């Protein structure tokens, strides 16, 4: 995209050949209670990271991948991508102390030719091409950011400790997942600023006035946080989806 062009300029069909993925895998994942970072927890005999890396590498919409690895785990991450023959991996950077810092470190290695950047959590292994396709579509219509989301099925309550303060209306509320997709220019602008406490990448783009939309997420894209999540993902892996 030419210098100075508005972030809302619709992408041409032909520009989809420069979609980069940032795969953030640098979290400690303390709630898993294992002796290694979450991305290297065993999922059906291989590191958790392998699942999303493999899927992104085989995704026809993705051209290049940058991985953010936990400090000290860059080498194993590179070896893993070699073992998987993940040829789209162009670099593996050291992650930061927060997710946003990990994204920023990876973004620095995203090529200037990138028009679209997908940011995905390695902690969500069950990525599908369908979700990626849904996330990419609105970017071609001029949106700056796209977030896969699910409706909230449970009743929501605001609490203080164990005391219920109020019941919160679910109207207009969704829970969001990754991969989140962005025009590269919009994401770079958002990450040039203050990264204090962003909940996700999209929130930074929203704060900068970017136009962000939601598309349908995928219940299988659940995030691994606890050993129970890992067991659930393991069982879903054996279920055709
Ligand atoms: O901690 P949580 O599971 O919410 O993190 C979401 C994703 O962000 C994970 O894939 C994790 O590896 C990544 N992350 C990161 N750098 C951090 C913290 C989290 O890359 N400092």
């Amino acid at each position: 995209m030419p210098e100075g062009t508005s972030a809302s300029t619709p992408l041409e069909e032909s520009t989809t050949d420069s979609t980069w993925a940032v795969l953030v895998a640098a979290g400690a994942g303390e709630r898993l209670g294992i002796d290694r970072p979450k991305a290297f927890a065993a999922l059906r005999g291989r590191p958790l990271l392998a699942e999303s890396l493999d899927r992104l590498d085989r995704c026809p919409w993705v051209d290049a991948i940058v991985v953010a690895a936990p400090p000290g785990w860059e080498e194993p991450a590179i070896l893993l991508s070699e073992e998987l023959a993940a040829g789209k991996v162009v670099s593996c950077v050291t992650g930061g102390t927060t997710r946003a810092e990990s994204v920023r470190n990876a973004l620095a290695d995203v090529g200037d030719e990138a028009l679209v950047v997908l940011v995905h959590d390695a902690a969500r292994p069950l990525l599908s091409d369908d979700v990626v396709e849904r996330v990419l579509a609105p970017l071609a219509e001029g949106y700056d950011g796209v977030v896969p989301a699910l409706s909230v099925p449970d009743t929501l309550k605001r609490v203080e400790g164990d005391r219920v303060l109020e019941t919160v209306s679910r109207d207009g509320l969704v829970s969001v997942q990754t991969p989140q997709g962005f025009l590269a220019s919009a994401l770079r602008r958002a990450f040039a600023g203050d990264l204090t406490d962003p909940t996700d990448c999209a929130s930074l783009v929203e704060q900068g006035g970017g136009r962000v939309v939601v598309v349908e997420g995928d219940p299988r894209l659940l995030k691994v946080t606890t050993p129970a999540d890992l067991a659930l993902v393991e069982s879903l892996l054996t279920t055709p989806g």
Side-chain angles (χ1 to χ4, degrees):
M1 192 180 295
E3 191 95 354
T5 303
S6 150
S8 294
T9 303
L11 292 170
E12 303 292 331
E13 283 288 321
S14 60
T15 60
T16 51
D17 62 350
S18 50
T19 298
W20 285 57
V22 160
L23 183 57
V24 283
E30 277 155 14
R31 288 173 67 189
L32 265 188
I34 55 172
D35 62 351
R36 55 192 58 214
K38 176 158 63 180
F40 290 89
L43 178 67
R44 285 186 84 205
R46 56 182 198 169
L48 179 72
L49 172 61
E51 198 60 43
S52 49
L53 189 53
D54 215 4
R55 288 168 183 241
L56 276 175
D57 195 69
R58 283 189 276 125
C59 177
W61 318 109
V62 171
D63 301 297
I65 303 167
V66 178
V67 179
W73 288 79
E74 302 84 350
E75 192 79 25
I78 292 167
L79 285 175
L80 178 65
S81 55
E82 285 171 3
E83 272 168 34
L84 296 170
K88 293 179 187 172
V89 175
V90 295
S91 88
C92 176
V93 302
T94 308
T97 50
T98 64
R99 181 184 185 276
E101 283 173 19
S102 297
V103 174
R104 182 166 58 192
N105 293 356
L107 209 45
D109 272 23
V110 168
D112 291 342
E113 73 276 21
L115 290 176
V116 166
V117 179
L118 292 166
V119 181
H120 185 58
D121 292 338
R124 299 181 191 271
L126 301 182
L127 179 64
S128 72
D129 289 351
D130 287 351
V131 167
V132 172
E133 195 175 3
R134 286 203 288 278
V135 167
L136 291 178
L139 297 175
E141 293 162 17
Y143 289 100
D144 298 301
V146 187
V147 176
L150 295 175
S151 59
V152 183
D154 298 321
T155 297
L156 298 176
K157 295 194 189 289
R158 190 181 313 282
V159 296
E160 202 172 71
D162 57 3
R163 198 166 66 89
V164 174
L165 299 180
E166 61 171 333
T167 300
V168 181
S169 166
R170 281 181 311 208
D171 286 352
L173 290 185
V174 290
S175 66
V176 305
Q177 305 177 313
T178 71
Q180 299 188 349
F182 304 93
L183 295 186
S185 52
L187 191 63
R188 288 193 205 277
R189 238 190 334 271
F191 273 80
D194 180 17
L195 298 186
T196 319
D197 290 338
T199 339
D200 61 359
C201 296
S203 63
L204 286 173
V205 173
E206 291 154 29
Q207 280 161 28
R211 295 168 66 213
V212 178
V213 286
V214 294
V215 292
E216 193 191 341
D218 182 347
R220 291 170 62 95
L221 258 178
L222 59 96
K223 186 166 76 170
V224 172
T225 304
T226 64
D229 299 331
L230 199 56
L232 181 54
V233 166
E234 202 141 39
S235 70
L236 287 171
L237 259 179
T238 51
T239 319

